[in-house]
Amino acid sequence: MDDFIEHKNKDDRWFSPPFYTHNGGYLMCLAVFANGAGRGSNTHVSVFACLMAGENDSNLKWPFRGAVTFSLLNQRGNHHHVTYTIAFSDGTPDVYCARVVSGKRAKSGWGNPTIIAHSDLAYNKQNNTEYLSNNSLHLRIERVSIFSSHIASKLPSWHLN
């Protein structure tokens, strides 16, 4: 996410490039609110996973059930990354996990409004962490899991035995 300060000052959201959960899978992106959202407004960075209309949607089971794990990277090294998993479970409201049929992206994403406090983004000498460097945040998708019960119904009958 480039231009963090501009996004924060404008109180807008930034969308990551789209990614597929797996070959033939669901299309998603991350929505990052530099100035926070909900209980994180004005104090935190908020991150949400958003479903998108994808080319495989007619072959997939809906609503989406799975988890997206991402990290906000410490730009000073390979330690102290902030890692979070966003789970789309049976308790997730349908507005966040239903198939996108209007527009290219779900109207809202599912996630966490308090990923990291604004005060923790700058260089911290004690921990050797710096999440905001050169006005940019670096986020990485670590893994996407599709809940097994969601996949089982998609497998051919010979595979279930």
Side-chain angles (χ1 to χ4, degrees):
M1 173 185 194
D2 293 327
D3 303 319
F4 175 83
I5 301 299
E6 182 178 335
H7 287 289
K8 184 175 179 282
N9 290 340
K10 288 183 175 180
D11 201 23
D12 66 0
R13 59 190 162 166
W14 169 87
F15 293 98
S16 74
F19 59 91
Y20 278 96
T21 58
H22 60 284
N23 189 17
Y26 302 86
L27 184 62
M28 303 183 93
C29 69
L30 293 181
V32 180
F33 291 71
N35 201 33
R39 70 179 187 274
S41 288
N42 301 313
T43 60
H44 286 75
V45 174
S46 302
V47 180
F48 302 90
C50 296
L51 284 164
M52 300 180 71
E55 62 185 46
N56 308 311
D57 288 357
S58 61
N59 298 323
L60 298 170
K61 186 173 179 183
W62 297 96
F64 171 73
R65 296 290 182 248
V68 177
T69 301
F70 69 91
S71 293
L72 173 62
L73 303 179
N74 170 16
Q75 296 187 50
R76 291 206 162 250
N78 288 327
H79 59 286
H80 298 294
H81 302 312
V82 176
T83 301
Y84 188 78
T85 298
I86 300 169
F88 292 79
S89 64
D90 288 340
T92 305
D94 282 345
V95 67
Y96 305 113
C97 53
R99 182 177 178 179
V100 176
V101 293
S102 177
K104 69 177 187 172
R105 180 175 41 242
K107 293 189 187 321
S108 297
W110 185 245
N112 189 335
T114 58
I115 294 297
I116 189 167
H118 290 153
S119 59
D120 293 333
L121 293 173
Y123 176 61
N124 178 317
K125 185 177 181 179
Q126 181 179 349
N127 294 332
N128 193 33
T129 57
E130 186 173 20
Y131 300 98
L132 178 63
S133 180
N134 296 318
N135 200 23
S136 296
L137 296 179
H138 294 184
L139 294 113
R140 177 176 62 209
I141 302 297
E142 300 291 347
R143 71 187 154 279
V144 179
S145 304
I146 307 300
F147 295 159
S148 61
S149 63
H150 212 62
I151 292 176
S153 64
K154 301 274 311 150
L155 297 174
S157 58
W158 57 265
H159 193 279
L160 298 175
N161 296 328

